[in-house]
Amino acid sequence: MRRKKIQASGIVNAPLETKSQVKARQDNLGSVAEGRLRTYDPSADNVRKFLDLLAAKITRPLVVSLTACVHCGMCAESCHYFLVRPDDPTMTPVYKADQIRRIFKRHLDWTGRVIPWWVHARRPKDDEDLNRLKNIVFGTCSACRRCTLNCPMGVDTALLVRFTRGLLTELGIVPEGVFNVSRDQWETGNQMAVTEADYLETLEWMKEEVQVELGIADVDIPVDKPDCDFLYTINPREIKFDPRSIANAAKVFHFAGESWTLPRWGWDQTNFGLYSGDDALGGYVARNVYEAAERLRAGRIVISECGHGYRSTRWEGYNWAGFDQKIPTESVVVTLERYLQEGRIKVDPSRNPEPVTFHDSCNIARSGGLVEEPRRVLKKVCADFREMVPNRTENYCCTGGGGLLSMVEYRPLRLEVARIKADQLRATGAKLVCTMCHNCIDGLTDVIKHYKLDLRVVQVLDLVSKALVVPSGEMAARS
Amino acid sequence: MGSGRGSVPADILLADLGLVPRLCYNIFSFPSKGIYCEAEVIIQLSWIMSDTLKLFENELQIGALLFLTIVYTIRIIWLLRFKAREERTHAEGSASRGVGYSLMNIAMPWAMESTRRKPGFYAQFVIFHLGVAAAIAATFIIPYAPRLFEIRAVVRVFQGSMGAAFIVGIFRFARRLRTPALRLVSTADDYISLLLMILFFAAGVMAVPNTPWKSEWPLIFFFGLTAFFLVYVPFSKIGHYLYYPFARYFLGKTLGHRGVMPRQRRLIRDGTEDGQGSRSWH
Amino acid sequence: MPSIEKDGTLIRVNDEGFMACPEEWTPRIAGILAKAEENIDTLTEEHWAIVNFIRAHYEENGLAPMVRKMCQNTGFSLKKIYELFPSGPAKGACKVAGLPKPDGCV
């Protein structure tokens, strides 16, 4: 039997960095002092705590995913980490899931408890082991769920990875980037530590810009207006990096004759709890949004384009927060589709002549259920729309998912395995790649830069707003 | 004894055969054809089932099945004691349709990229599990409906199925040893369970002709192995079939609720089906 | 640690091209970073207006300025800033101004 060659493992051996954690403790941050945000305690019996947490937090679907795996290896070729590094057996989803599976079997499963060697069951030995686990579940997986959909048994490896991350987050054994963003979201209610003053100022500014651009005085970006059709929620990136999307949204909503508002507090639809596995953080952030909608008596919640934000606010957040959904919660792309269908806005696809392809974000398609809607919109606002292959729920992750964009130590590996995405993009011959997710914007931009592709990343709202036909009578009547 | 036709005593006839011909005779020959037919009828008429075989075909199986049922019940109770996930959101799709689609996954190779790209692998899966079904069916047919195995065609079908499964098993075992990604995650459970299944198929091929008057050992071996499996399976990976409906149910429920499953199949204008066209990246 | 080298000057950068040691920044380095990271051949006066503002704000406050402040102070619209620095104010202009990488997953 000719043995296949094996590549050295791509797992990054990042040590446990605690600089920000130490500073957070010194600064006596509220979230740390109150125990909401956990920090690493080297003197504690972290292995024991890990096992206790495992037993306390595990749920039925997780147990079934842990016991159902038959090590068939079908998941391997669905994972971009393994596809680009096919000689590295540590890149398979089954290997990653096995890291927590072995611990589960040793601690909670009968065969693993009585004859652990039979099923490779083992406990983590020490904090170094837990750190290695951190490097695997944070550093070699973007939790894209592609493996889940390719498993004959239905093992949800992405869910197992999130679960393990959650356990490690409880112990403070996380990459620095994860701690920093969690801290910001606990302390300020949004992921990028945007202050209320900055938030309101930016909205004012964008309002002025739109008014000037359109020559219409009554375009508004309302804040805390009650009894509207919907509450709009955004990604802090839109305040900190690029507020043009807020301006675009305001424009479109205005021409659609919409009554809408942003809330003063609870406007962040992104949710780092999804990535860190921290249901408490997830619930806190999501609840801010739901309560804002209740407070303002909004008819529905509309989520600006963000993948993990959509999944968190539309789906997971209600469960994390223990909050029953009462009003419709939808993506702004669905709102746009409705406007187009009802003829509330008019568009001219020739304004977007360049070939456009659509990237399905993992949290939008596989975990979110929005597959055809963005396509229907794009086909109306673009002259040349092309599908990439594979597409829809089989599309490849942008490779920046799962919070990887905030974890700088895993970047080289991530860019290496992004080759598959680069090849996929190049093959479309498109000039623009449209995505509904801010994470994917950065993820895809990194891929484009690294592999020197001739592409630009845009969002659906950008294209709709470019194609928007301003009714000529309107300007005169309203100004 | 004797048919009174001047035939050679059966035991001398049989003793003349070497081991391999005797094996083949046990496996492949039938009453009513061939030069041994007279001897066969004699043996058959005078043969009385041994107590051991009776025990192995009946009581042992029932006992082992009972054990299996009890263990599985305990296992399911254990599973259900873990907290369920609560769903508080409005549905976008249908959870029940998602569950149905998800449960049917093994019968829909077109539904997953992994099975579409590796049709041979999927075919092996089908062959292997049909062999399992045949083997299990045989353990009931032999003691309770043995007339079925008096029909040559039926026996051949069962032998063919289990024989093919045997070959697939060998391939899969070799694959598990050869492929680094599998070697890394495979446990003793994985290897030994597969080896035992390969053995089981071989035993099944030899047992289904159901001719204990020639030799009881293939049947004793087969039923012994069956009883062993009934006790072994719940603690090994072979018990995965118990978890299949649960795992698929949970996945289908969540993704059905969110409208991800079942996959909407739609033809795009250029004639390609949605989601198709996955390329090989190697 | 990766680095960018040009004409004998070595700039230590992190994996995303942000300066590892912001205190080492000089105007000359700005030019090198602009070419290497943003594909800008020469920094014009307009570029410098933005870069100088960012640098001054960082040195005084230890943080990158909000986008709005950048626009207000330089008089450029956001659109203009994106034209000057294709990666945008945070990832493009701040990088050229020698700031460390901004936090946040997005």
Side-chain angles (χ1 to χ4, degrees):
Chain A
M1 272 186 299
R2 188 177 61 86
R3 292 242 161 152
K4 298 198 180 147
K5 72 177 192 299
I6 299 178
Q7 190 182 8
S9 172
I11 299 172
V12 177
N13 287 320
L16 183 57
E17 282 287 346
T18 51
K19 273 201 302 280
S20 327
Q21 295 191 24
V22 168
K23 184 164 188 301
R25 271 204 299 270
Q26 283 168 350
D27 291 347
N28 204 25
L29 292 181
S31 51
V32 175
E34 290 161 32
R36 283 175 281 138
L37 177 62
R38 307 287 190 177
T39 54
Y40 173 60
D41 180 2
S43 63
D45 185 355
N46 289 302
V47 171
R48 176 83 254 151
K49 281 165 78 175
F50 185 87
L51 295 173
D52 290 342
L53 283 165
L54 170 65
K57 292 187 156 208
I58 199 156
T59 60
R60 235 181 265 171
L62 286 164
V63 170
V64 156
S65 278
L66 288 165
T67 50
C69 176
V70 293
H71 292 147
C72 72
M74 288 285 260
C75 55
E77 286 180 18
S78 63
C79 176
H80 53 278
Y81 278 88
F82 185 71
L83 281 169
V84 178
R85 295 175 62 94
D87 298 320
D88 181 353
T90 61
M91 294 287 117
T92 56
V94 56
Y95 177 78
K96 298 165 199 170
D98 260 14
Q99 303 313 301
I100 186 71
R101 182 170 288 122
R102 296 167 73 173
I103 301 173
F104 165 80
K105 288 195 169 176
R106 185 70 182 87
H107 194 53
L108 294 174
D109 193 20
W110 54 21
T111 319
R113 284 161 81 182
V114 177
I115 30 170
W117 58 269
W118 180 248
V119 288
H120 285 189
R122 72 187 275 280
R123 285 206 180 91
K125 279 197 305 280
D126 49 24
D127 289 7
E128 213 17 73
D129 250 3
L130 291 176
N131 187 50
R132 182 164 187 275
L133 188 61
K134 171 207 96 185
N135 285 325
I136 292 175
V137 297
F138 281 101
T140 61
C141 177
S142 60
C144 75
R145 253 184 171 157
R146 218 165 177 278
C147 49
T148 303
L149 289 193
N150 277 296
C151 173
M153 292 296 290
V155 169
D156 196 345
T157 301
L159 203 68
L160 293 175
V161 164
R162 179 173 186 267
F163 175 67
T164 314
R165 288 184 179 193
L167 300 177
L168 292 169
T169 300
E170 278 288 313
L171 300 172
I173 300 179
V174 293
E176 280 258 276
V178 170
F179 181 82
N180 289 343
V181 183
S182 301
R183 174 202 64 210
D184 288 346
Q185 201 157 37
W186 272 121
E187 290 292 314
T188 66
N190 68 78
Q191 262 194 47
M192 303 193 100
V194 169
T195 63
E196 189 178 277
D198 284 334
Y199 169 66
L200 294 172
E201 248 195 74
T202 308
L203 295 180
E204 262 302 307
W205 171 37
M206 281 296 111
K207 181 169 83 175
E208 285 160 15
E209 296 254 321
V210 174
Q211 285 172 345
V212 164
E213 186 192 330
L214 296 179
I216 301 175
D218 69 351
V219 176
D220 193 15
I221 299 183
V223 177
D224 260 12
K225 187 164 136 196
D227 303 303
C228 290
D229 282 347
F230 68 74
L231 182 87
Y232 193 51
T233 56
I234 57 177
N235 184 320
R237 204 180 176 285
E238 296 178 69
I239 300 285
K240 200 146 187 189
F241 288 169
D242 194 355
R244 291 178 294 175
S245 49
I246 303 177
N248 287 338
K251 253 189 274 179
V252 173
F253 296 155
H254 172 80
F255 287 119
E258 191 64 78
S259 102
W260 66 289
T261 185
L262 280 153
R264 190 186 206 87
W265 169 259
W267 50 265
D268 185 2
Q269 36 94 327
T270 69
N271 198 317
F272 209 70
L274 181 69
Y275 294 147
S276 66
D278 185 350
D279 286 0
L281 176 59
Y284 166 67
V285 178
R287 183 173 273 276
N288 288 340
V289 172
Y290 308 143
E291 285 180 349
E294 242 179 20
R295 186 169 40 93
L296 296 169
R297 295 184 300 274
R300 73 178 68 220
I301 297 173
V302 171
I303 306 164
S304 78
E305 286 174 272
C306 180
H308 86 279
Y310 177 72
R311 178 178 168 187
S312 304
T313 313
R314 167 70 182 92
W315 295 116
E316 316 277 354
Y318 284 109
N319 297 332
W320 291 330
F323 194 105
D324 288 321
Q325 180 177 358
K326 295 184 199 83
I327 52 175
T329 307
E330 67 186 28
S331 163
V332 70
V333 170
V334 169
T335 318
L336 292 170
E337 197 198 356
R338 195 169 49 247
Y339 291 163
L340 288 168
Q341 270 172 3
E342 292 174 3
R344 285 165 75 172
I345 55 174
K346 298 271 184 291
V347 289
D348 174 12
S350 69
R351 303 237 188 117
N352 289 311
E354 293 173 296
V356 180
T357 185
F358 184 71
H359 161 75
D360 297 276
S361 312
C362 310
N363 285 320
I364 298 268
R366 278 185 282 280
S367 293
L370 282 186
V371 172
E372 301 301 328
E373 292 82 347
R375 289 173 162 78
R376 289 197 284 257
V377 173
L378 286 179
K379 285 178 187 162
K380 292 207 168 117
V381 301
C382 301
D384 182 355
F385 174 73
R386 307 171 181 199
E387 290 281 5
M388 61 173 80
V389 163
N391 53 59
R392 294 179 168 79
T393 50
E394 297 193 359
N395 215 325
Y396 286 111
C397 179
C398 68
T399 67
L404 278 171
L405 290 172
S406 64
M407 301 181 230
V408 98
E409 55 270 61
Y410 306 126
R411 188 187 156 90
L413 180 64
R414 153 166 88 88
L415 287 177
E416 182 194 340
V417 301
R419 200 193 78 216
I420 205 173
K421 197 69 198 171
D423 290 343
Q424 190 191 17
L425 289 168
R426 201 183 289 118
T428 62
K431 282 274 168 290
L432 301 174
V433 50
C434 180
T435 173
M436 275 174 69
C437 169
H438 275 100
N439 237 327
C440 295
I441 293 182
D442 280 347
L444 292 172
T445 305
D446 280 350
V447 175
I448 288 169
K449 258 183 133 171
H450 190 82
Y451 289 95
K452 304 192 176 27
L453 303 173
D454 181 20
L455 273 161
R456 230 177 1 111
V457 188
V458 291
Q459 296 215 286
V460 174
L461 190 58
D462 298 338
L463 294 172
V464 170
S465 138
K466 250 186 108 187
L468 198 62
V469 172
V470 172
S472 51
E474 281 258 336
M475 307 262 271
R478 282 165 180 264
S479 51
Chain B
M1 77 163 213
S3 67
R5 287 226 235 140
S7 47
V8 178
D11 45 358
I12 297 172
L13 226 89
L14 274 178
D16 274 345
L17 299 173
L19 177 65
V20 172
R22 227 182 325 165
L23 258 171
C24 293
Y25 173 62
N26 278 336
I27 297 171
F28 296 118
S29 74
F30 274 91
S32 84
K33 269 219 157 90
I35 58 167
Y36 302 108
C37 74
E38 276 188 35
E40 281 226 41
V41 175
I42 297 164
I43 300 164
Q44 203 171 347
L45 283 174
S46 62
W47 172 78
I48 301 169
M49 188 184 276
S50 73
D51 284 332
T52 316
L53 186 57
K54 251 193 267 188
L55 182 78
F56 267 57
E57 285 191 12
N58 282 303
E59 285 83 4
L60 186 65
Q61 298 311 308
I62 294 173
L65 251 171
L66 218 60
F67 178 80
L68 180 85
T69 314
I70 294 172
V71 173
Y72 271 160
T73 310
I74 297 175
R75 190 65 164 165
I76 292 179
I77 294 174
W78 169 81
L79 196 61
L80 294 176
R81 280 170 63 196
F82 291 100
K83 345 185 233 300
R85 232 181 51 92
E86 258 197 80
E87 188 58 71
R88 293 173 186 266
T89 62
H90 298 166
E92 204 69 55
S94 155
S96 47
R97 280 190 69 209
V99 169
Y101 179 85
S102 183
L103 285 169
M104 288 300 294
N105 181 276
I106 34 164
M108 299 192 300
W110 56 86
M112 299 197 306
E113 178 195 77
S114 51
T115 40
R116 276 203 309 272
R117 272 162 60 152
K118 299 173 103 173
F121 196 81
Y122 179 75
Q124 287 174 15
F125 152 79
V126 174
I127 293 170
F128 188 91
H129 287 80
L130 283 178
V132 172
I136 294 176
T139 64
F140 286 96
I141 294 173
I142 291 172
Y144 306 121
R147 299 207 68 116
L148 207 57
F149 283 156
E150 285 176 24
I151 306 167
R152 172 195 230 138
V154 174
V155 174
R156 288 285 184 254
V157 163
F158 273 71
Q159 285 182 321
S161 174
M162 287 188 280
F166 172 86
I167 294 172
V168 166
I170 304 269
F171 266 122
R172 289 296 185 93
F173 190 80
R175 169 185 176 254
R176 199 170 272 284
L177 278 176
R178 237 174 66 91
T179 315
L182 283 185
R183 261 207 316 275
L184 185 62
V185 297
S186 293
T187 62
D189 186 0
D190 293 318
Y191 290 115
I192 306 278
S193 296
L194 185 52
L195 279 176
L196 287 169
M197 288 304 294
I198 292 169
L199 196 63
F200 190 49
F201 291 133
V205 166
M206 293 197 290
V208 289
N210 197 18
T211 52
W213 52 86
K214 289 185 203 151
S215 167
E216 287 191 344
W217 70 261
L219 287 157
I220 291 179
F221 184 58
F222 180 61
F223 281 98
L225 212 48
T226 307
F228 166 77
F229 268 118
L230 287 166
V231 170
Y232 169 80
V233 155
F235 303 103
S236 78
K237 78 175 268 187
I238 302 181
H240 65 272
Y241 62 87
L242 183 74
Y243 307 121
Y244 175 88
F246 289 95
R248 296 243 58 112
Y249 169 80
F250 287 125
L251 192 65
K253 188 155 169 253
T254 303
L255 296 186
H257 178 84
R258 297 186 189 183
V260 180
M261 278 186 183
R263 230 163 44 123
Q264 307 300 323
R265 308 194 79 213
R266 214 161 298 195
L267 284 165
I268 315 176
R269 243 176 290 133
D270 64 5
T272 55
E273 285 192 76
D274 74 295
Q276 308 291 319
S278 26
R279 281 159 52 178
S280 165
W281 290 97
H282 294 283
Chain C
M1 181 173 296
S3 57
I4 301 175
E5 221 256 283
K6 184 146 168 52
D7 299 334
T9 317
L10 187 75
I11 313 168
R12 281 176 301 169
V13 291
N14 76 359
D15 291 317
E16 295 187 38
F18 284 88
M19 282 189 76
C21 307
E23 44 313 332
E24 293 176 2
W25 184 85
T26 68
R28 188 155 173 279
I29 284 178
I32 299 173
L33 284 170
K35 178 74 184 125
E37 295 291 320
E38 293 288 288
N39 216 13
I40 301 169
D41 284 312
T42 337
L43 290 169
T44 64
E45 261 191 45
E46 293 182 321
H47 287 114
W48 280 115
I50 299 170
V51 169
N52 286 333
F53 170 70
I54 295 173
R55 190 74 203 174
H57 189 279
Y58 174 69
E59 282 177 1
E60 198 187 306
N61 302 303
L63 305 161
M66 287 291 295
V67 179
R68 177 171 202 182
K69 288 210 174 60
M70 273 188 234
C71 293
Q72 274 178 327
N73 219 277
T74 56
F76 296 137
S77 70
L78 188 55
K79 206 163 144 221
K80 179 81 186 166
I81 296 188
Y82 266 90
E83 279 169 24
L84 292 169
F85 293 97
S87 298
K91 300 242 170 145
C94 286
K95 191 185 279 189
V96 170
L99 265 57
K101 175 190 180 302
D103 266 336
C105 165
V106 150

